């Protein structure tokens, strides 16, 4: 075996060994996003009094946090009022987030939150580092995640 063949073989072997590590880090990132917290869209997102009407109140993009307060009649839940930074019709809505999702890092008025549209709903992330802190799931997806008793 020539030196070049040996070097190529070693490079391929090293690349093959690195693949499982990459998969672990991907699943770890997905796991941490899912463990951050989730709830159904209907329980988490509502119309602000200043918003445009209809379902167009939430779209992917950056939103400025206008207000942060305790959610009315919901213990251990924070309500954020978010306003889109993009030009166009005013998009403003409130987001109710369980406090456990914000335990590691709070969101304050004036900060930016990034909303990413996903097939399952919306991912809310810190705009400065892109780290997700909350998932608002379409109601059908959320129902599917519910635990059920299994008879054996």
């Amino acid at each position: 075996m020539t030196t070049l063949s040996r070097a190529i073989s070693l490079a391929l072997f090293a690349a093959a060994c690195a693949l499982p590590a990459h998969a672990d880090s991907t699943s770890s990132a997905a796991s941490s996003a899912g463990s951050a917290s989730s709830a159904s869209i209907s329980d988490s997102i509502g119309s602000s009094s200043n918003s445009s009407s209809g379902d167009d109140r939430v779209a992917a993009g950056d939103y400025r946090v206008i207000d942060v307060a305790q959610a009315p009649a919901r213990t251990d839940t924070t309500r954020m009022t978010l306003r889109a930074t993009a030009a166009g019709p005013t998009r403003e809505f409130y987001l109710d987030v369980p406090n456990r999702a914000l335990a590691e890092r709070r969101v304050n008025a004036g900060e930016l939150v990034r909303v990413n549209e996903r097939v399952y709903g919306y991912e809310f992330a810190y705009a400065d580092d892109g780290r997700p802190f909350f998932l608002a799931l379409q109601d059908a997806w959320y129902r599917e995640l519910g635990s059920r008793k299994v008879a054996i």
Side-chain angles (χ1 to χ4, degrees):
M1 197 187 268
T2 68
T3 305
L4 179 60
S5 300
R6 193 170 295 144
I8 291 172
S9 296
L10 285 172
L12 289 172
F13 177 73
C17 290
L19 285 176
H22 176 66
D24 288 345
S25 66
T26 302
S27 63
S28 173
S31 170
S32 67
S35 67
S37 191
S38 62
S40 69
I41 288 175
S42 61
D43 287 340
S44 311
I45 298 175
S47 295
S48 167
S49 59
N50 298 329
S51 76
S52 58
S53 61
D55 288 337
D56 64 345
R57 65 183 178 256
V58 181
D62 288 343
Y63 289 77
R64 177 88 43 206
V65 179
I66 304 304
D67 187 46
V68 178
Q70 162 111 24
R74 295 181 77 181
T75 311
D76 295 329
T77 302
T78 297
R79 176 167 288 180
M80 293 178 224
T81 303
L82 304 172
R83 182 179 299 147
T85 60
T90 301
R91 283 196 166 108
E92 190 172 296
F93 63 94
Y94 69 80
L95 175 67
D96 287 346
V97 179
N99 290 344
R100 71 181 176 273
L102 303 170
E104 195 175 310
R105 179 178 169 194
R106 305 279 317 155
V107 175
N108 299 306
E111 290 187 59
L112 287 177
V113 169
R114 178 154 302 134
V115 177
N116 297 304
E117 250 180 286
R118 303 290 187 215
V119 67
Y120 50 77
Y122 299 100
E123 174 191 77
F124 292 85
Y126 303 103
D128 60 356
D129 65 8
R131 224 176 63 227
F133 62 86
F134 184 69
L135 303 174
L137 304 173
Q138 291 179 16
D139 293 349
W141 283 72
Y142 188 71
R143 280 191 299 273
E144 289 297 316
L145 291 177
S147 57
R148 295 172 181 82
K149 287 185 178 180
V150 177
I152 298 179

